[in-house]
Amino acid sequence: MASRRDFLKATAGAGAAAAAGLGTARPLLGAPAVLRGTATPVSVASGNGLEAVATAIRVVDGGGDTLEAVVEGVNIAERDPGDSSVGYGGLPNLDGVVQLDSSVMHGPSRGAGAVACLEGIKTPSRVAMDVMRYTDHVLLVGKGAQRFAVSMGHDIEDLLTERSRRRWIEWRATMSDRDDYLTPEETGHGNSEPFEDEDDYGLGILDSHDGVRPQGTINCNVIDRNGAISGVTTTSGLAWKVPGRVGDSPIVGAGLYVDNDVGACGSTGRGEAVIKTCGSHSVVELMRAGMSPTDACLEALRRIVTFTVEPRLQRDDGRPSFNVNYYAVNKNGDYGGAAIWSGARFAVCDGGDSRHEDSAYLFERNG
Ligand code: GLY
């Protein structure tokens, strides 16, 4: 009797053949608009990814795999206690626990892996890569993701730094004047210095019902000289989030999407808005239809504006009170970045030194 695995393999094979139009005279549905490939490797990342893009290019220039390249790149930020938006030192949830999300996509093998609500592992992007490489699954969450990570040799560590713990304590103390926590003014302690990296790159929420809320993330994508494309997104998510909240970063098609025939896109900013509009997938599909990376990012951002109907998420003029950023590269090595609000930057390396470029935008911040 055929096993369930054999059955799944057989039906998947038939499905793939049908989808590819094999054995029929039909043209390939959704054929990519961009097919040439690039002569120069290019890496594009969120603004906090200057080192990530440089690392990604160094790895692919040395003949390394594109996914290994971007993951090695973002590992720098994940391990950096000074980066409060990802991995070690990331800002915690409302219970003071750091919960991390990440996804990876490897274009040449059409592979994807992700983890969500992962606690205690500094480099969730590596765990996401292990999910892709060593399991038949795409997404593992919570305790199961942690047990899997340990089984793959990852160490469990305390991810809360003194800096991020102090910041959480201060946030908790200022949440309500009807609880028993004394505010920093009342205790005479606190006044921790603002996080310099908090919104340097226009990654975060601009304003919300409880003030500006840090929401950093790092996304990094690369195309090598053979046209192989990979991407990764990793984050500690929205600071002070409800425990168990999952953002866009580990959702394939939302915080990251790679189609090796077309290009890659990733996002930072308000994850809920990106999830609702299948953001990164939309950008890649718009590039497939012929749009430049920048125009595709802007169009996907317009969809977010259309979807933002909740008054609590709107400024007085009806525009979103938060920011979302997309970073994209296509098969030709053309790249772009765009945000809802002006002032954002993204990181690029196409050989030589990595640099920041200004993101395109829909609205002037002070407009
Ligand atoms: N974009 C990161 C998050 O919303 O968690």
Side-chain angles (χ1 to χ4, degrees):
M1 202 172 80
S3 69
R4 179 173 169 275
R5 190 179 281 260
D6 289 341
F7 172 75
L8 290 175
K9 259 195 207 156
T11 51
L22 297 179
T24 75
R26 282 187 302 120
L28 230 163
L29 279 181
V34 191
L35 279 170
R36 277 186 286 135
T38 179
T40 314
V42 180
S43 181
V44 60
S46 41
N48 51 351
L50 268 187
E51 289 179 283
V53 290
T55 302
I57 292 301
R58 182 174 45 74
V59 172
V60 298
D61 276 348
D65 177 71
T66 47
L67 183 56
E68 189 57 47
V70 288
V71 168
E72 199 170 317
V74 300
N75 283 168
I76 298 167
E78 288 179 323
R79 292 193 176 110
D80 178 1
D83 189 323
S84 60
S85 70
V86 294
Y88 181 50
L91 294 177
N93 66 18
L94 68 77
D95 287 341
V97 177
V98 181
Q99 290 187 322
L100 305 174
D101 298 339
S102 180
S103 63
V104 299
M105 289 190 79
H106 183 241
S109 66
R110 310 283 184 185
V115 288
C117 278
L118 177 64
E119 296 176 14
I121 313 280
K122 278 183 179 165
T123 52
S125 62
R126 292 231 158 246
V127 186
M129 193 157 69
D130 284 345
V131 171
M132 184 194 94
R133 285 182 175 163
Y134 299 108
T135 79
D136 190 33
H137 307 312
V138 169
L139 174 61
L140 296 181
V141 306
K143 287 282 173 228
Q146 192 190 57
R147 280 205 292 276
F148 168 75
V150 170
S151 78
M152 297 306 297
H154 296 267
D155 294 328
I156 297 193
E157 300 169 74
D158 183 3
L159 301 187
L160 209 55
T161 57
E162 181 52 23
R163 190 172 179 241
S164 52
R165 189 189 63 79
R166 202 155 29 90
R167 189 61 197 268
W168 169 66
I169 296 276
E170 288 181 16
W171 166 79
R172 189 179 63 177
T174 50
M175 274 313 287
S176 169
D177 55 11
R178 286 184 290 166
D179 64 23
D180 295 327
Y181 292 111
L182 304 179
T183 64
E185 291 73 35
E186 286 166 330
T187 61
H189 300 297
N191 295 324
S192 60
E193 82 284 8
F195 283 110
E196 282 159 21
D197 55 356
E198 208 157 78
D199 203 21
D200 272 2
Y201 309 108
L203 303 177
I205 277 188
L206 288 176
D207 198 7
S208 69
H209 55 283
D210 58 353
V212 175
R213 245 169 120 180
Q215 186 166 28
T217 298
I218 184 165
N219 161 252
C220 184
N221 312 296
V222 74
I223 177 166
D224 72 11
R225 66 182 74 255
N226 301 315
I229 307 172
S230 289
V232 57
T233 303
T234 179
T235 190
S236 51
L238 182 63
W240 338 130
K241 61 192 171 186
V242 175
R245 179 263 188 187
V246 172
D248 56 327
S249 304
I251 308 295
V252 168
L256 179 70
Y257 198 68
V258 176
D259 183 329
N260 209 56
D261 295 333
V262 178
C265 178
S267 63
T268 61
R270 182 179 160 80
E272 284 75 4
V274 177
I275 293 172
K276 285 201 289 184
T277 52
C278 299
S280 293
H281 180 261
S282 297
V283 172
V284 171
E285 290 309 307
L286 290 164
M287 291 196 295
R288 188 197 306 277
M291 277 193 186
S292 71
T294 304
D295 285 347
C297 292
L298 287 167
E299 181 57 25
L301 292 166
R302 282 186 201 102
R303 291 186 190 173
I304 288 180
V305 175
T306 304
F307 266 65
T308 305
V309 294
E310 304 92 332
R312 73 175 191 283
L313 296 175
Q314 293 175 337
R315 307 188 333 169
D316 290 344
D317 61 6
R319 293 173 174 174
S321 59
F322 56 85
N323 210 358
V324 168
N325 302 253
Y326 288 123
Y327 318 93
V329 61
N330 72 13
K331 190 75 173 174
N332 294 339
D334 305 323
Y335 61 85
I340 296 176
W341 291 98
S342 64
R345 292 182 294 162
F346 62 100
V348 188
C349 188
D350 45 12
D353 292 341
S354 52
R355 61 184 182 276
H356 277 128
E357 291 194 16
D358 291 339
S359 298
Y361 56 87
L362 296 180
F363 306 126
E364 277 283 353
R365 219 171 244 260
N366 301 318

